[in-house]
Amino acid sequence: MAIQIEQFEVRIPLVHPFRTSFGVQKEKSAIIIKMTDDEGNVGWGESSLESVPGYCYETSGTAWLIQNEFLIPAFKGISEDTFPEIGDVHRVFAPIRGHEFAKTGLESAFWSLKASREGKSLGEMYGATKSKIPTGVSIGIQNRIEDLLQRISFFLDQGYKRIKIKIEPGWDYEVLKAVRKEYGDVPLMVDANSAYTLSDKDVEILKSLDRFDLMMIEQPLDYQDILMHKRLQAQISTPVCLDESIHTFNNALMAIEEDACRIINIKPGRVGGYYEAKRIAEALGKDKVWLGGMLETGIGRIHNLFIQAKEEFTIPGDTSGSDRYFKRDIITPHVLVDENGYIEVPRGEGLGFEVNEPLLKEYTVQHLSH
Ligand code: OSB
Ligand code: MG
């Protein structure tokens, strides 16, 4: 079975700069993967990264290299004679250590190709049962509290069901106090992207956030840590949620079993693909998992939509509408959020959306065919 693989490295301007405790993003960087089999079936996937190693060590540059040198040859090795199974892809990537986002681009394109080939919806492949999913929005650090309040109103008016606020020392207690004062008991959570430590001063701040009845606090401490989060969780009532620290099924189970966190932010890219993401969701179940995001382009967004249609995902995710990120997304139609904060899960074969290939080409800075 000859499967043609194309890599497109893209840069897409964001409608609004996204500031977190680790930096400011003005454009979305990603590698889009297109797979075509010898009967003309097509699959699309995304390695949803950044151009700098701020969130994790991977960048679009490292993913390009690892895909070219190792992952694509490994994939070609198993797909030459037969059409592989999803588990085969996962297995052949396992000896190539780390580089989870690089793997996810190829793995997700393969899920999508397989769905097209079998005439199934991608959702069916992921075990989706719901026809719409509840969704939230992640709001970056602003210059002034008034600007943040305005951003929140903007999204609540559109129907978003849950607000996530990025925090860092100096942009935490007072900000949340103002938000609670203005918006009462709106479902609210925060994400520190590793901006705090277990110092007495930081622990005092983190404890003080308990009074805001937050759904969770995401990754307050070091990006690789589990143990310090366990020590923190023992001192605060707000559920800790781990994002950056979790790269495998084992990490996720250990963190929950050890009470280092009460909830896991599943990002398929961060755990090496949708096979692993599905496994974590199925093992931990409702209330312990939700789906995060990486400002995905439309392609990664659709995959994220389908996996959230699994019954385990009841907590609103970070998958917002296309217009929250881009003026023009690379899929048709754009992903839309209704006035009640839901996104409809597409029906139909494969992705259920068209990829806007001319626009994809406009945003492409580097293209290779294998
Ligand atoms: O920590 O969850 C995060 C975006 C880029 C990198 C890291 C994170 C995020 C978000 C945005 O919070 C989620 C989204 O809207 O896709
Ligand atoms: Mg996060």
Side-chain angles (χ1 to χ4, degrees):
M1 168 68 50
I3 298 177
Q4 191 204 17
I5 302 177
E6 287 174 75
Q7 293 166 294
F8 302 83
E9 183 179 350
V10 297
R11 295 271 191 285
I12 312 181
L14 291 170
V15 289
H16 214 272
F18 188 65
R19 183 170 150 210
T20 61
S21 60
F22 60 82
V24 184
Q25 258 180 283
K26 297 201 171 116
E27 56 179 16
K28 174 64 197 157
S29 160
I31 297 175
I32 301 300
I33 301 288
K34 179 180 185 183
M35 285 190 185
T36 312
D37 72 7
D38 52 13
E39 291 157 21
N41 297 297
V42 174
W44 293 93
E46 174 171 344
S47 288
S48 203
L49 282 155
E50 293 175 8
S51 47
V52 294
Y55 165 79
C56 66
Y57 69 84
E58 290 188 79
T59 65
S60 291
T62 68
W64 185 270
L65 177 90
I66 295 293
Q67 287 175 352
N68 274 297
E69 286 200 14
F70 306 105
L71 298 171
I72 292 173
F75 181 83
K76 292 267 177 188
I78 53 164
S79 59
E80 226 144 65
D81 305 321
T82 55
F83 191 82
E85 291 300 317
I86 301 289
D88 298 335
V89 177
H90 188 76
R91 193 156 23 79
V92 79
F93 285 172
I96 299 155
R97 304 298 193 219
H99 298 281
E100 290 86 5
F101 282 93
K103 291 174 181 171
T104 301
L106 292 160
E107 195 235 37
S108 57
F110 183 70
W111 278 99
S112 159
L113 174 64
K114 192 166 160 64
S116 296
R117 223 176 120 85
E118 294 177 7
K120 288 182 183 162
S121 152
L122 183 59
E124 194 181 336
M125 310 277 294
Y126 288 157
T129 55
K130 294 186 280 185
S131 61
K132 57 181 188 171
I133 58 151
T135 191
V137 61
S138 171
I139 305 180
I141 295 168
Q142 310 291 314
N143 291 329
R144 303 175 317 155
I145 292 184
E146 301 85 88
D147 298 341
L148 176 70
L149 297 179
Q150 227 176 49
R151 289 287 287 155
I152 295 176
S153 289
F154 176 75
F155 289 116
L156 289 178
D157 289 348
Q158 289 175 49
Y160 284 96
K161 296 187 97 58
R162 180 230 67 190
I163 301 292
K164 167 167 134 182
I165 295 173
K166 294 289 188 178
I167 59 166
E168 66 183 2
W171 185 261
D172 43 36
Y173 185 87
E174 290 302 326
V175 170
L176 289 167
K177 199 168 128 191
V179 172
R180 275 291 182 230
K181 181 156 175 259
E182 188 77 16
Y183 300 103
D185 57 4
V186 64
L188 186 65
M189 55 194 268
V190 293
D191 186 355
N193 290 109
S194 301
Y196 297 86
T197 66
L198 276 190
S199 70
D200 292 347
K201 181 165 164 272
D202 282 4
V203 171
E204 273 324 298
I205 298 172
L206 297 170
K207 277 185 180 167
S208 76
L209 306 186
D210 277 347
R211 65 171 280 202
F212 298 119
D213 192 27
L214 302 172
M215 295 164 72
M216 66 190 85
I217 176 168
E218 203 176 317
Q219 199 74 31
L221 308 177
D222 188 80
Y223 75 103
Q224 305 193 89
D225 169 76
I226 291 181
L227 179 63
M228 299 303 151
H229 283 97
K230 177 181 163 94
R231 292 185 184 160
L232 175 67
Q233 182 70 87
Q235 300 177 67
I236 63 176
S237 60
T238 304
V240 171
C241 166
L242 287 178
D243 172 356
E244 282 89 331
S245 296
I246 306 298
H247 293 272
T248 64
F249 178 80
N250 279 338
N251 286 170
L253 253 58
M254 172 173 64
I256 291 285
E257 276 191 35
E258 291 292 323
D259 202 32
C261 66
R262 309 238 158 103
I263 306 176
I264 303 279
N265 169 336
I266 298 184
K267 288 182 186 170
R270 204 196 56 234
V271 298
Y274 288 76
Y275 180 88
E276 195 78 342
K278 192 167 168 295
R279 208 152 75 94
I280 295 171
E282 287 166 2
L284 294 178
K286 278 192 178 73
D287 306 327
K288 292 208 182 61
V289 297
W290 65 282
L291 208 95
M294 288 295 290
L295 314 177
E296 280 84 357
T297 80
I299 292 170
R301 185 168 314 287
I302 296 169
H303 281 273
N304 286 349
L305 245 171
F306 278 122
I307 196 149
Q308 282 173 94
K310 287 173 70 60
E311 61 182 8
E312 292 85 3
F313 294 96
T314 55
I315 301 170
D318 272 351
T319 307
S320 307
S322 295
D323 64 349
R324 180 254 176 278
Y325 309 94
F326 314 111
K327 212 156 132 193
R328 294 187 302 161
D329 201 347
I330 56 177
I331 51 164
T332 314
H334 283 183
V335 171
L336 293 174
V337 175
D338 71 19
E339 69 275 13
N340 298 313
Y342 284 89
I343 299 177
E344 212 175 296
V345 179
R347 282 177 275 264
E349 278 178 32
L351 283 184
F353 282 74
E354 292 299 319
V355 173
N356 182 340
E357 295 198 50
L359 189 58
L360 168 67
K361 286 183 183 127
E362 258 181 61
Y363 289 136
T364 296
V365 294
Q366 191 173 196
H367 174 242
L368 252 188
S369 264
H370 305 259

PDB file of all heavy atoms in Angstrom, residues 7 20 57 60 86 137 148 156 176 193 197 216 226 233 241 256 275 293 312 333 338 363:
ATOM      1  N   GLN A   7       3.966  17.110   4.089  1.00  0.00           N
ATOM      2  CA  GLN A   7       4.095  17.983   5.267  1.00  0.00           C
ATOM      3  C   GLN A   7       3.979  19.434   4.807  1.00  0.00           C
ATOM      4  O   GLN A   7       4.646  19.829   3.842  1.00  0.00           O
ATOM      5  CB  GLN A   7       5.488  17.865   5.888  1.00  0.00           C
ATOM      6  CG  GLN A   7       5.847  16.532   6.519  1.00  0.00           C
ATOM      7  CD  GLN A   7       7.355  16.515   6.751  1.00  0.00           C
ATOM      8  OE1 GLN A   7       8.132  16.527   5.790  1.00  0.00           O
ATOM      9  NE2 GLN A   7       7.775  16.477   8.001  1.00  0.00           N
ATOM     10  N   THR A  20       0.815  34.344  27.756  1.00  0.00           N
ATOM     11  CA  THR A  20       0.797  33.437  28.898  1.00  0.00           C
ATOM     12  C   THR A  20       2.005  33.781  29.758  1.00  0.00           C
ATOM     13  O   THR A  20       2.804  34.645  29.399  1.00  0.00           O
ATOM     14  CB  THR A  20       0.936  31.977  28.434  1.00  0.00           C
ATOM     15  OG1 THR A  20       2.192  31.857  27.755  1.00  0.00           O
ATOM     16  CG2 THR A  20      -0.165  31.573  27.490  1.00  0.00           C
ATOM     17  N   TYR A  57       9.422  21.378  24.933  1.00  0.00           N
ATOM     18  CA  TYR A  57      10.682  21.438  24.181  1.00  0.00           C
ATOM     19  C   TYR A  57      10.476  21.344  22.672  1.00  0.00           C
ATOM     20  O   TYR A  57      11.342  21.720  21.892  1.00  0.00           O
ATOM     21  CB  TYR A  57      11.663  20.343  24.642  1.00  0.00           C
ATOM     22  CG  TYR A  57      11.242  18.935  24.275  1.00  0.00           C
ATOM     23  CD1 TYR A  57      11.527  18.403  23.008  1.00  0.00           C
ATOM     24  CD2 TYR A  57      10.521  18.144  25.165  1.00  0.00           C
ATOM     25  CE1 TYR A  57      11.114  17.128  22.652  1.00  0.00           C
ATOM     26  CE2 TYR A  57      10.113  16.863  24.824  1.00  0.00           C
ATOM     27  CZ  TYR A  57      10.405  16.369  23.570  1.00  0.00           C
ATOM     28  OH  TYR A  57       9.987  15.121  23.221  1.00  0.00           O
ATOM     29  N   SER A  60       7.859  23.592  15.865  1.00  0.00           N
ATOM     30  CA  SER A  60       7.563  23.110  14.513  1.00  0.00           C
ATOM     31  C   SER A  60       8.855  22.636  13.849  1.00  0.00           C
ATOM     32  O   SER A  60       8.845  21.675  13.084  1.00  0.00           O
ATOM     33  CB  SER A  60       6.923  24.212  13.673  1.00  0.00           C
ATOM     34  OG  SER A  60       5.647  24.476  14.171  1.00  0.00           O
ATOM     35  N   ILE A  86      -4.379   1.215  13.627  1.00  0.00           N
ATOM     36  CA  ILE A  86      -3.965   2.360  14.448  1.00  0.00           C
ATOM     37  C   ILE A  86      -2.902   1.928  15.463  1.00  0.00           C
ATOM     38  O   ILE A  86      -1.887   2.605  15.657  1.00  0.00           O
ATOM     39  CB  ILE A  86      -5.179   2.954  15.210  1.00  0.00           C
ATOM     40  CG1 ILE A  86      -6.260   3.405  14.233  1.00  0.00           C
ATOM     41  CG2 ILE A  86      -4.733   4.057  16.155  1.00  0.00           C
ATOM     42  CD1 ILE A  86      -5.948   4.622  13.410  1.00  0.00           C
ATOM     43  N   VAL A 137     -13.413  29.037  26.832  1.00  0.00           N
ATOM     44  CA  VAL A 137     -12.407  29.838  26.146  1.00  0.00           C
ATOM     45  C   VAL A 137     -11.285  30.148  27.124  1.00  0.00           C
ATOM     46  O   VAL A 137     -11.512  30.339  28.314  1.00  0.00           O
ATOM     47  CB  VAL A 137     -13.042  31.114  25.542  1.00  0.00           C
ATOM     48  CG1 VAL A 137     -13.651  32.015  26.614  1.00  0.00           C
ATOM     49  CG2 VAL A 137     -12.039  31.888  24.694  1.00  0.00           C
ATOM     50  N   LEU A 148      -9.322  42.786  30.592  1.00  0.00           N
ATOM     51  CA  LEU A 148      -9.717  41.389  30.788  1.00  0.00           C
ATOM     52  C   LEU A 148     -11.234  41.294  30.940  1.00  0.00           C
ATOM     53  O   LEU A 148     -11.872  40.426  30.332  1.00  0.00           O
ATOM     54  CB  LEU A 148      -9.020  40.799  32.029  1.00  0.00           C
ATOM     55  CG  LEU A 148      -9.456  39.374  32.359  1.00  0.00           C
ATOM     56  CD1 LEU A 148      -8.933  38.383  31.309  1.00  0.00           C
ATOM     57  CD2 LEU A 148      -8.981  38.935  33.740  1.00  0.00           C
ATOM     58  N   LEU A 156     -18.559  35.775  26.858  1.00  0.00           N
ATOM     59  CA  LEU A 156     -19.812  35.328  27.492  1.00  0.00           C
ATOM     60  C   LEU A 156     -21.002  35.703  26.607  1.00  0.00           C
ATOM     61  O   LEU A 156     -21.940  34.923  26.462  1.00  0.00           O
ATOM     62  CB  LEU A 156     -19.969  35.936  28.889  1.00  0.00           C
ATOM     63  CG  LEU A 156     -19.026  35.390  29.965  1.00  0.00           C
ATOM     64  CD1 LEU A 156     -19.253  36.125  31.286  1.00  0.00           C
ATOM     65  CD2 LEU A 156     -19.182  33.878  30.166  1.00  0.00           C
ATOM     66  N   LEU A 176      -8.766  37.926  39.939  1.00  0.00           N
ATOM     67  CA  LEU A 176      -9.894  37.011  40.173  1.00  0.00           C
ATOM     68  C   LEU A 176     -10.970  37.670  41.021  1.00  0.00           C
ATOM     69  O   LEU A 176     -12.167  37.449  40.813  1.00  0.00           O
ATOM     70  CB  LEU A 176      -9.389  35.716  40.820  1.00  0.00           C
ATOM     71  CG  LEU A 176      -8.580  34.871  39.840  1.00  0.00           C
ATOM     72  CD1 LEU A 176      -7.819  33.775  40.562  1.00  0.00           C
ATOM     73  CD2 LEU A 176      -9.491  34.252  38.777  1.00  0.00           C
ATOM     74  N   ASN A 193       0.591  27.883  33.775  1.00  0.00           N
ATOM     75  CA  ASN A 193       1.707  27.461  32.914  1.00  0.00           C
ATOM     76  C   ASN A 193       3.039  27.502  33.663  1.00  0.00           C
ATOM     77  O   ASN A 193       4.022  28.090  33.197  1.00  0.00           O
ATOM     78  CB  ASN A 193       1.779  28.315  31.633  1.00  0.00           C
ATOM     79  CG  ASN A 193       0.621  28.034  30.694  1.00  0.00           C
ATOM     80  OD1 ASN A 193      -0.269  28.866  30.528  1.00  0.00           O
ATOM     81  ND2 ASN A 193       0.595  26.851  30.090  1.00  0.00           N
ATOM     82  N   THR A 197       6.070  28.545  42.439  1.00  0.00           N
ATOM     83  CA  THR A 197       6.934  27.545  43.079  1.00  0.00           C
ATOM     84  C   THR A 197       6.294  27.188  44.414  1.00  0.00           C
ATOM     85  O   THR A 197       5.226  27.692  44.750  1.00  0.00           O
ATOM     86  CB  THR A 197       8.332  28.121  43.362  1.00  0.00           C
ATOM     87  OG1 THR A 197       8.192  29.160  44.346  1.00  0.00           O
ATOM     88  CG2 THR A 197       8.980  28.672  42.097  1.00  0.00           C
ATOM     89  N   MET A 216     -10.687  24.615  38.776  1.00  0.00           N
ATOM     90  CA  MET A 216      -9.356  23.998  38.904  1.00  0.00           C
ATOM     91  C   MET A 216      -8.282  25.049  38.712  1.00  0.00           C
ATOM     92  O   MET A 216      -8.564  26.148  38.200  1.00  0.00           O
ATOM     93  CB  MET A 216      -9.168  22.883  37.862  1.00  0.00           C
ATOM     94  CG  MET A 216      -9.134  23.366  36.441  1.00  0.00           C
ATOM     95  SD  MET A 216      -9.202  22.011  35.231  1.00  0.00           S
ATOM     96  CE  MET A 216     -10.972  21.739  35.081  1.00  0.00           C
ATOM     97  N   ILE A 226       5.686  16.342  39.197  1.00  0.00           N
ATOM     98  CA  ILE A 226       4.485  15.714  39.747  1.00  0.00           C
ATOM     99  C   ILE A 226       4.492  15.813  41.279  1.00  0.00           C
ATOM    100  O   ILE A 226       3.507  16.201  41.899  1.00  0.00           O
ATOM    101  CB  ILE A 226       4.343  14.256  39.245  1.00  0.00           C
ATOM    102  CG1 ILE A 226       4.021  14.290  37.732  1.00  0.00           C
ATOM    103  CG2 ILE A 226       3.235  13.508  40.009  1.00  0.00           C
ATOM    104  CD1 ILE A 226       3.827  12.957  37.070  1.00  0.00           C
ATOM    105  N   GLN A 233      -1.265  20.171  46.357  1.00  0.00           N
ATOM    106  CA  GLN A 233      -2.672  19.738  46.418  1.00  0.00           C
ATOM    107  C   GLN A 233      -3.103  19.455  47.853  1.00  0.00           C
ATOM    108  O   GLN A 233      -4.245  19.710  48.230  1.00  0.00           O
ATOM    109  CB  GLN A 233      -2.896  18.509  45.522  1.00  0.00           C
ATOM    110  CG  GLN A 233      -4.333  18.018  45.486  1.00  0.00           C
ATOM    111  CD  GLN A 233      -5.281  18.959  44.752  1.00  0.00           C
ATOM    112  OE1 GLN A 233      -5.463  18.907  43.550  1.00  0.00           O
ATOM    113  NE2 GLN A 233      -5.917  19.863  45.509  1.00  0.00           N
ATOM    114  N   CYS A 241      -4.953  20.736  38.314  1.00  0.00           N
ATOM    115  CA  CYS A 241      -5.064  20.041  37.025  1.00  0.00           C
ATOM    116  C   CYS A 241      -3.681  20.039  36.413  1.00  0.00           C
ATOM    117  O   CYS A 241      -3.013  21.077  36.387  1.00  0.00           O
ATOM    118  CB  CYS A 241      -6.027  20.806  36.119  1.00  0.00           C
ATOM    119  SG  CYS A 241      -5.938  20.278  34.392  1.00  0.00           S
ATOM    120  N   ILE A 256      -2.951  11.047  39.165  1.00  0.00           N
ATOM    121  CA  ILE A 256      -4.282  10.960  39.784  1.00  0.00           C
ATOM    122  C   ILE A 256      -4.237  10.055  41.018  1.00  0.00           C
ATOM    123  O   ILE A 256      -4.727  10.416  42.087  1.00  0.00           O
ATOM    124  CB  ILE A 256      -5.326  10.449  38.752  1.00  0.00           C
ATOM    125  CG1 ILE A 256      -5.583  11.510  37.672  1.00  0.00           C
ATOM    126  CG2 ILE A 256      -6.610  10.005  39.434  1.00  0.00           C
ATOM    127  CD1 ILE A 256      -6.439  12.698  38.091  1.00  0.00           C
ATOM    128  N   TYR A 275      -4.779   7.922  20.070  1.00  0.00           N
ATOM    129  CA  TYR A 275      -4.846   6.573  20.646  1.00  0.00           C
ATOM    130  C   TYR A 275      -4.593   6.658  22.151  1.00  0.00           C
ATOM    131  O   TYR A 275      -5.361   6.137  22.962  1.00  0.00           O
ATOM    132  CB  TYR A 275      -3.771   5.722  19.962  1.00  0.00           C
ATOM    133  CG  TYR A 275      -3.671   4.295  20.402  1.00  0.00           C
ATOM    134  CD1 TYR A 275      -4.439   3.305  19.794  1.00  0.00           C
ATOM    135  CD2 TYR A 275      -2.774   3.909  21.400  1.00  0.00           C
ATOM    136  CE1 TYR A 275      -4.327   1.981  20.169  1.00  0.00           C
ATOM    137  CE2 TYR A 275      -2.650   2.588  21.788  1.00  0.00           C
ATOM    138  CZ  TYR A 275      -3.431   1.624  21.164  1.00  0.00           C
ATOM    139  OH  TYR A 275      -3.311   0.313  21.541  1.00  0.00           O
ATOM    140  N   GLY A 293      -6.246  22.627  24.626  1.00  0.00           N
ATOM    141  CA  GLY A 293      -5.993  23.031  23.237  1.00  0.00           C
ATOM    142  C   GLY A 293      -4.641  23.682  23.102  1.00  0.00           C
ATOM    143  O   GLY A 293      -3.998  24.037  24.095  1.00  0.00           O
ATOM    144  N   GLU A 312     -16.855  10.610  28.065  1.00  0.00           N
ATOM    145  CA  GLU A 312     -16.021  11.012  29.215  1.00  0.00           C
ATOM    146  C   GLU A 312     -15.854  12.523  29.328  1.00  0.00           C
ATOM    147  O   GLU A 312     -15.537  13.034  30.398  1.00  0.00           O
ATOM    148  CB  GLU A 312     -14.621  10.384  29.132  1.00  0.00           C
ATOM    149  CG  GLU A 312     -14.584   8.869  29.321  1.00  0.00           C
ATOM    150  CD  GLU A 312     -14.851   8.118  28.023  1.00  0.00           C
ATOM    151  OE1 GLU A 312     -15.016   8.759  26.961  1.00  0.00           O
ATOM    152  OE2 GLU A 312     -14.893   6.874  28.072  1.00  0.00           O
ATOM    153  N   PRO A 333     -16.818  24.434   6.467  1.00  0.00           N
ATOM    154  CA  PRO A 333     -17.003  25.757   7.063  1.00  0.00           C
ATOM    155  C   PRO A 333     -16.087  25.934   8.282  1.00  0.00           C
ATOM    156  O   PRO A 333     -15.417  24.983   8.691  1.00  0.00           O
ATOM    157  CB  PRO A 333     -18.476  25.715   7.497  1.00  0.00           C
ATOM    158  CG  PRO A 333     -18.742  24.272   7.798  1.00  0.00           C
ATOM    159  CD  PRO A 333     -17.917  23.501   6.831  1.00  0.00           C
ATOM    160  N   ASP A 338     -22.427  27.873  19.226  1.00  0.00           N
ATOM    161  CA  ASP A 338     -23.786  28.436  19.234  1.00  0.00           C
ATOM    162  C   ASP A 338     -23.999  29.309  20.473  1.00  0.00           C
ATOM    163  O   ASP A 338     -23.129  29.382  21.349  1.00  0.00           O
ATOM    164  CB  ASP A 338     -24.850  27.334  19.082  1.00  0.00           C
ATOM    165  CG  ASP A 338     -24.999  26.452  20.321  1.00  0.00           C
ATOM    166  OD1 ASP A 338     -24.566  26.855  21.427  1.00  0.00           O
ATOM    167  OD2 ASP A 338     -25.557  25.351  20.181  1.00  0.00           O
ATOM    168  N   TYR A 363      -0.576  29.924   3.513  1.00  0.00           N
ATOM    169  CA  TYR A 363       0.033  30.008   4.845  1.00  0.00           C
ATOM    170  C   TYR A 363       1.285  29.134   4.977  1.00  0.00           C
ATOM    171  O   TYR A 363       1.928  29.113   6.014  1.00  0.00           O
ATOM    172  CB  TYR A 363      -0.969  29.572   5.917  1.00  0.00           C
ATOM    173  CG  TYR A 363      -2.117  30.536   6.157  1.00  0.00           C
ATOM    174  CD1 TYR A 363      -3.426  30.077   6.291  1.00  0.00           C
ATOM    175  CD2 TYR A 363      -1.886  31.909   6.288  1.00  0.00           C
ATOM    176  CE1 TYR A 363      -4.477  30.944   6.543  1.00  0.00           C
ATOM    177  CE2 TYR A 363      -2.928  32.791   6.535  1.00  0.00           C
ATOM    178  CZ  TYR A 363      -4.226  32.298   6.660  1.00  0.00           C
ATOM    179  OH  TYR A 363      -5.254  33.157   6.914  1.00  0.00           O
TER     180      TYR A 363
END
